[in-house]
Amino acid sequence: MTSSLLERVRKPEYVGENRCAPCTAVNIAIAGAVTLPVAVLSPPVGIAAFAVSLALVYLRGYLVPGTPALTKRYVPDWLLRRFDKSEHARSMRPAAVASDWDHDVDPATFDTETVDIETLLLDVGALRDVDADVVLDASFERAWYHRIDALRDGDGGVDQLARTVGVDADRVSLSDHGNAVAAWLDDDWLGQWESREAFAADMAASAELDDRTDVWSRLSVDVRGQMLSGLRACIEHCPACGGPVDLGTHAVESCCRSYDVIAAACEHCEVRYFEAEYDATDDAFVD
């Protein structure tokens, strides 16, 4: 009977992986504001009321009916973005242990804000100019895809990530989160990618660039991440199935906000290689 009651109260569309951080924060704040006066008059009753409120938020995702719509209407978008920016940024670039990746780096020389990512990729032969546009260099693409195939048949890129971070491979692991994949060093989060194919693509590109130029090992984590993301955004043929990869803008709806993203995904197998939030008002990526 208790289980049946909990199932009726629970709202699966708003909890678990679907839980919205802004809505949860708003409802916990409301619960605190409502139960605080009660707790002043009667601490036991106030504590019990707050506990019940938290239980409802946990089971339903919200306390106040209509919270998703209210949050979307009254909480400013810039504040909503603060809740999901870290998650979005994780999908944009691989993270790493800075002390392992950034030793012997001159920040003034390789600072993210002063490095032209496109120029770097052109200089190392990963991209080439074609009619005022940039595309993957054919020789780089062949070498890159060959490495991706090797990683797919092997460990998926775990060893390459371990070598890059400078640790034993048995300390690095991957975990799936829907279509996305996260990398871990022991219990510490290292980074998140749009898919396992995107992760393999980054690891393969990292190995190929490291072989092609000694500059790669001296770049900061941010610069490397932007270069790898930029390469994935240039994929035209899916390394997994050979299908065409579409790069375009899409509107994404969460329970309390909507935003535009630029995404690159295979039209055949639907593997996603790249995604970045896009601010159409000023024609810029949101970082």
Side-chain angles (χ1 to χ4, degrees):
M1 181 176 178
T2 301
S3 176
S4 177
L5 177 61
L6 290 177
E7 285 302 315
R8 288 201 298 271
V9 173
R10 189 172 182 269
K11 295 286 187 181
E13 64 268 32
Y14 296 125
V15 299
E17 292 184 354
N18 298 322
R19 184 178 298 278
C20 173
C23 292
T24 301
V26 168
N27 278 270
I28 290 176
I30 291 173
V34 170
T35 58
L36 181 60
V38 178
V40 171
L41 296 175
S42 176
V45 174
I47 292 172
F50 187 64
V52 170
S53 299
L54 291 181
L56 287 173
V57 173
Y58 175 77
L59 291 170
R60 297 174 64 86
Y62 59 85
L63 178 65
V64 180
T67 289
L70 292 173
T71 306
K72 191 170 186 177
R73 181 174 180 179
Y74 294 111
V75 180
D77 190 71
W78 66 264
L79 182 56
L80 292 173
R81 185 178 292 121
R82 297 296 297 179
F83 285 93
D84 56 21
K85 179 178 180 181
S86 60
E87 232 176 80
H88 172 74
R90 290 176 182 182
S91 70
M92 279 291 296
R93 64 172 67 95
V97 179
S99 60
D100 289 330
W101 279 34
D102 289 342
H103 63 284
D104 298 328
V105 172
D106 180 357
T109 303
F110 295 112
D111 181 74
T112 303
E113 296 182 0
T114 61
V115 168
D116 188 317
I117 302 300
E118 182 179 309
T119 299
L120 269 177
L121 289 171
L122 288 167
D123 287 345
V124 300
L127 298 179
R128 60 189 178 90
D129 278 308
V130 177
D131 299 327
D133 195 7
V134 290
V135 298
L136 288 174
D137 178 81
S139 64
F140 178 84
E141 183 181 50
R142 286 193 298 271
W144 184 20
Y145 282 27
H146 178 74
R147 287 183 184 268
I148 293 174
D149 288 341
L151 291 181
R152 190 186 299 115
D153 294 336
D155 64 0
V158 171
D159 280 349
Q160 175 62 32
L161 180 58
R163 284 194 296 271
T164 305
V165 177
V167 299
D168 293 335
D170 59 5
R171 296 183 59 194
V172 176
S173 61
L174 301 178
S175 62
D176 293 307
H177 303 270
N179 293 324
V181 62
W184 302 85
L185 173 59
D186 298 328
D187 294 326
D188 294 326
W189 179 86
L190 283 177
Q192 183 167 310
W193 287 259
E194 292 84 347
S195 63
R196 284 193 175 245
E197 288 291 338
F199 171 73
D202 272 6
M203 295 303 100
S206 177
E208 182 63 24
L209 290 169
D210 193 28
D211 283 351
R212 285 179 173 238
T213 173
D214 58 1
V215 170
W216 181 251
S217 62
R218 296 186 289 122
L219 294 173
S220 70
V221 174
D222 278 345
V223 172
R224 291 194 210 182
Q226 289 189 37
M227 290 178 70
L228 296 174
S229 295
L231 286 173
R232 282 188 276 113
C234 292
I235 291 177
E236 295 183 354
H237 305 287
C238 177
C241 73
V245 173
D246 174 62
L247 177 65
T249 58
H250 307 275
V252 176
E253 288 278 347
S254 66
C255 76
C256 61
R257 68 182 291 251
S258 60
Y259 53 94
D260 294 322
V261 299
I262 287 184
C266 177
E267 295 180 4
H268 287 174
C269 67
E270 299 183 350
V271 167
R272 181 156 292 195
Y273 288 97
F274 176 85
E275 183 177 307
E277 188 172 345
Y278 180 69
D279 188 350
T281 60
D282 61 3
D283 195 34
F285 290 107
V286 176
D287 185 17

